[in-house]
Structure formats: structure tokens, C-alpha cells
Amino acid sequence: MTAEEIRKKYLEYFEARGHKVIPRAQLVPQDDPTTLFTGSGMQPLVPYLLGQKHPDGNRLVDSQTCFRAEDMDEVGDNRHTTFFEMLGNWSLGDYYKKEQLAWVWELYTKQFGLDPNRLYATCFIGDELTGVPKDTESAELWQANFKQADIDAKVVDFEPGKDLLADKDNRIFYYDAGSNWWSREGAPVNMRDGEPGGPDSEIFYDFGTKHNPDFGKFCHPNCDCGRFGEIGNSVFMAYRKTGGKFEPLPKPNVDFGGGLERISAAVNNDSDIFKISLIKPIVDRLEELSHKKYDAHKQSMRVVADHLRAGVFLAVDGVVPSNKQQGYVLRRLLRRTIRYAFELGIEQDLCEKVADIIIDLYQTDFPEVAEQKQAVLDVFAREERIFRQTLRNGLREFEKALELSGVFEEIEGKKEYKIGGDFLFKLYDTYGFPLELSLEEAYTRGINVSQDWQTDFERLMSEQRQRSQTASVGMFKGGLADHSPEVVKLHTTTHLMYQALKNVLGDGIVQRGSNITAERTRFDFSYPEKVTREQLDEVEKIVNEQIEKDLPVSWKEEKTNEAFKKGASGAFGDKYGDSVKVYTIGDQDKPFSREICGGPHVEHTGVIGEGGKKFKITKEEASSAGVRRIKAILE
Ligand SMILES: [Zn+2]
Ligand SMILES: [Zn+2]
């Protein structure tokens, strides 16, 4: 079944059940100045979910195009995209859980033909703090669904340290608010009085691929390793927060969203969403234009395919490349596209030749795409011309920079150049000249490139990234450079180190700052004198012991004063709200470390030591008066 057929079946299925099919909202929100793009199916419907009357009634269905600029750098694997379609159906105070979960099941197993044996469901575990009960009703409805396929589905509470998939009957998983709660302000405890929220219930498809232990010891439906794909989420907007507690809403809503591309991948039983019918023709065209194979050039082709899909819809919705807001995002998308295509050897008319295919794929179901066809192609052609001119200017700069760099030897009266990572970085950073082009240029001119150019280039690149992040966010979020597995491992390690430092130097030390990249953690703390090598050795030993013990890592929302009373560590000068997230490493009763922190962390300390890695302190120095700075790595 094609993605187009899935979209059609979905809309028809709900239309037959009294839903009005509404047109998609544009990617640029019309009357919401707070956000640049429509990033989810529910976003345009929020006013109606909050009580405003919808002109088309209280049962609605649509397929909403969505764009998430923040995911741009993640595109390249088999499942991340910036652009996607979200199938959605809504009950505005009309039907509820019983109908919704039965319909999802029927639609997915009977209409889309998904194998019930590969399906899993998740429900909300409840929240003690605010008194929201466990969503047993949804779990029971899922059990009844599975029963129809002769599956006796067991319901279990998710626990990070347990191999819950070992029992094949475990099909329905309870998770906490991090996974199964919706409100505009996140977890129940973070919600303001008067805000609506509620539990949600997701459906997952098991692609059966191997679990990747970088994401935790054991796999489970919400694991990010790629084995499970989330293909639908029913939000039950059931409560309103009043006086810190939750009251049931008299007429609760249902808000369902399912990613069309992911559902299509599940229907194909192939986790690569770039092989679905709405994307494969783009990839085919790229193979044709580049004379290269997708299998050998997945990353580049995925970036080009995703970015141009997004670009087409942004342009259809009236965005024009510029240096501001939405226009800047479109410009960035197109420039990235051209750069990646350059790697594939596609040197001209890329946008037009590929955008054409994309427009063909959508113009029947979205007439506005057909209407805007020529305008979109013109915009793309102009932007591509401008950028290719920039690239040519870059070539001239290459020339000049080469002369200026002065890095050459006179050999038999001839200048022999040798360039390194700093030279390549400068061209990239200052003139926007792509690295691949610089290398290509060096190669064709017979210029030597130093052996370790890559190390230098990457170091400068990561420094640059840190500078720009620091500039744009104002500071590091929790001191983390990103959420890569390396950074997350070092983050948990930093918590271990903080506690170990307290064990060795005394409880009086206080964290004064931290900064974690994929390569190392840097930690500042108050202490009046130099820490000796013996003391550092002791800290190393303690941390490595905790890694070997494979302690569980867990977190809980707690009232801020309670958390401090129970001895949780915080960072000096940090301001905390009424409640905080507290991360515990080790046993809940006798933890090794308790720290106020936003996460993320590994689920088990053993993950840190994978591949025989050991914690090592590489440097100890003064940072300012009375503050010491430690740098440490995993090696
Ligand atoms: Zn997994
Ligand atoms: Zn932390």
C-alpha cells in the first residue's frame, strides 16, 4: 500500500465515522506570532481543544503538513526528517477512549494491514504528586484490541533495568509523564492552574531490528535505537489543573496524531522511511542525476530529499528565501541541499530537477501545490543561481587565501603548498566554502593536504559550534554541548565525579559550573587549594567503581525544598522553580548520588564503561580564586 493510499484510507475511515475533513493549515502559522512554523497536527487546533467552537463541528480529521527546523542537523539516518505529514483526528468533547482506541486498532490492523504481532501500546502510569490516576482504562481497551487478534497481551510498568521484552506477552507498557502525558507545559507538576492536560496512549511498530545498547541496557517500545517506531498517539485531554490538583473535564477531548511517513514505513515493514512511495521517487531521481547508488550515499541523498520536500511546501506556503525568520530557514535548507548534492556530483539545476518530482507527488492531493508549481520552481532556480555564484567566489577566495597563508616551500624554484585543517576551516567559516570543495580543489591543483587536517578541522568546528550555541542560547543548556550518546555518558559521569569529589574532599565543595562536549567534561567547584594527584586518583577509583557496579539512573519531580532537604546537590547560583527534576544514581534508599538536573542521562552506569572505557582525570587547575577546574575523559 502506498503512502498516498494510507492517507486516503485514513481520511475516508474517519469521514465514514462522522468526521469532517478539514484542509491542512499552512506551514507558516497565520495568527500565531510566537512560532515560526506549524510543527504538529494539533498546533492549528489548539484554540478548539481549549474550548473554542469549531465551525466544522466536533469531529474533525486531516492530514497536516509539519516542519521542524530544529531537526535539520539530525536528518541523515533512516527516520529523522524536518518535513512530515501528520494524520490527525479530533473529538472536541464528543467520543472518547473506547471509540478512539478501537478505531486506531481496526484502521491499523485491518485497513493498513499491519501485523498485530508487531504492535505495542503504551499508557500513562499515573502521577502521585498531583493525584492523576494510572490510565488502566486505556490499558484494558488495548487488551481487548489484542484479544481480537488472539493475543493475550500483558500489561507491565516500564522499568529501565528490566528486560521486559524477554516475555513475549508483554505488549502494553506503562510509562511516566516524560512519555505519556500531554500538556502545553509538560509534566503535571509543571502545569499552571487552569491548564488542561491529560494522559496519552501510543502505538508502536516493532521493526525487529537489533537493539543498540548505546540507548540503554534493554530495548523497550520507547527506546530510541530505531527498533520500535511510534506510529500513532492518542491524547486524552481529560483534566484541568485546579489548586494544584486535577479535576476531570466535563467533556474531555481526543487528539490523535500519526506520522504518515512512519506509518508507511511500518506498512512496508522497512524502517527506512526514505523508501516509502512519497520519497523513493526523489531518491530515484537523485540516483539518476548523480549516477550514484543510494545504498552508498544514503546520508547525502536523505538530506537532499528531506530538505527539498520541506522547501517545496515552504515555498508553496509563500516563504521566499531571505536573511530573516522563515525566509532564512528556507535559504539554509536550499543551501544545505546544494552542498550535499555537490558531494553527489550534481552541479547544476538540482532544485528544479528534483522539486519537479516532489510537486508531482503531491499535486493531486494538495491542489495548492499544483497552483504554485511555476512560482516554486522559479524561486528555487534563482536561489540556486545565487548560491552557486557564492561558491564560485569561494573558489577565488581559495586562490587568495592560498597566497596569503604563505604555507609553502620553495622546491627547485617552485612553490609547493601544503594546507591544513585551519586553512580549510577558515574557508568554510569565513567564506561559506564547503569542505568537500576545498579538498577537491586542493586535489585538482596537486596541493598537499596535511595528514591531520581532519583533527584540526573538527576541533575548530566544534569550538565554533560552541561559540555560536553560547551566543544564541546565551549559555549552554545545563552545560551540555548536545544530546549525543558521548555527551550523555559524560554527563552521568560528571554526576558520579561530583559525588566522588565530595567523598574525597568533603561535603563543603559546591559546583560552580560545568561544560560537557563529546570529548570531555569540564567541572568547576569551590575548593581553597590544589587537589593532589593522590586525591584525584581516589576520585577516579570511586567513579570507576560506580561504573562497574552498573547502578540504575532514575529521576523524579520533587518539590525544590524537599529535594534540598533530602540532600540533593545543585549548582551554585542556579535558580530553581517550585519543583525540580532530581536524578538519582544507585538505590533509591541509599543512592550514590542525588542531583538536581534537567538530564538527559544514561539509564545505567554500566553503559559508560562499555568498550572497556575508564574514567580519567586529565587536568586539575585553578579556574578563579577559590575555584578549581577539572577536566576528565572516558578512555
Ligand atoms: Zn532499543
Ligand atoms: Zn546534570
Side-chain angles (χ1 to χ4, degrees), residues 491 495 597 601:
H491 183 197
H495 282 217
C597 169
H601 284 280

Side-chain angles (χ1 to χ4, degrees), residues 295-358:
D295 282 335
H297 298 272
K298 282 183 177 163
Q299 203 209 2
S300 304
M301 291 198 186
R302 285 166 174 171
V303 171
V304 173
D306 168 71
H307 287 13
L308 276 182
R309 269 158 51 88
V312 163
F313 271 92
L314 287 169
V316 165
D317 287 349
V319 180
V320 179
S322 73
N323 288 329
K324 276 213 301 259
Q325 301 206 324
Q326 287 99 341
Y328 176 70
V329 176
L330 177 55
R331 173 159 283 168
R332 221 183 128 214
L333 276 173
L334 294 178
R335 292 189 166 194
R336 277 172 60 100
T337 307
I338 294 162
R339 255 176 51 207
Y340 277 92
F342 212 97
E343 278 176 53
L344 294 168
I346 304 172
E347 297 189 18
Q348 60 180 344
D349 303 334
L350 163 85
C351 291
E352 275 181 283
K353 282 179 179 157
V354 183
D356 200 44
I357 290 272
I358 298 171

Side-chain angles (χ1 to χ4, degrees), residues 25-219:
Q26 296 203 342
L27 283 184
V28 178
Q30 295 307 292
D31 15 59
D32 183 357
T34 62
T35 161
L36 287 183
F37 300 106
T38 303
S40 73
M42 85 167 341
Q43 195 177 312
L45 285 155
V46 165
Y48 308 103
L49 289 164
L50 295 179
Q52 199 177 312
K53 228 177 132 44
H54 196 285
D56 288 322
N58 48 21
R59 290 186 179 204
L60 308 169
V61 62
D62 76 4
S63 178
Q64 176 63 50
T65 48
C66 301
F67 175 67
R68 293 184 182 168
E70 60 274 25
D71 291 341
M72 217 184 275
D73 292 315
E74 288 192 50
V75 181
D77 65 13
N78 67 356
R79 57 190 179 278
H80 281 94
T81 57
T82 60
F83 174 81
F84 57 95
E85 266 180 78
M86 188 73 104
L87 303 176
N89 64 273
W90 291 272
S91 155
L92 304 174
D94 189 349
Y95 61 86
Y96 201 42
K97 290 181 185 174
K98 190 160 174 279
E99 294 86 344
Q100 174 63 22
L101 294 181
W103 287 341
V104 169
W105 181 264
E106 186 181 46
L107 190 62
Y108 279 44
T109 58
K110 306 268 164 51
Q111 306 267 329
F112 300 163
L114 290 175
D115 178 359
N117 289 299
R118 286 183 175 266
L119 297 179
Y120 288 75
T122 65
C123 303
F124 182 52
I125 201 163
D127 184 65
E128 276 173 39
L129 228 56
T130 44
V132 182
K134 197 168 189 168
D135 188 9
T136 53
E137 189 187 350
S138 293
E140 280 161 22
L141 290 165
W142 281 113
Q143 276 185 308
N145 283 339
F146 278 107
K147 194 85 202 155
Q148 287 178 33
D150 286 328
I151 297 170
D152 280 314
K154 279 196 207 157
V155 189
V156 286
D157 290 355
F158 170 67
E159 276 180 67
K162 264 197 184 162
D163 186 9
L164 293 165
L165 294 176
D167 182 345
K168 299 261 179 299
D169 294 332
N170 288 342
R171 287 309 179 109
I172 302 159
F173 287 64
Y174 283 118
Y175 285 92
D176 64 18
S179 311
N180 284 79
W181 178 266
W182 180 87
S183 88
R184 292 192 291 181
E185 291 150 330
V189 73
N190 294 333
M191 290 166 60
R192 274 174 302 147
D193 255 22
E195 274 291 309
D200 60 51
S201 184
E202 295 183 305
I203 178 166
F204 286 84
Y205 184 80
D206 180 4
F207 285 103
T209 49
K210 219 167 120 26
H211 170 65
N212 175 352
D214 282 353
F215 295 91
K217 198 161 179 189
F218 300 111
C219 205

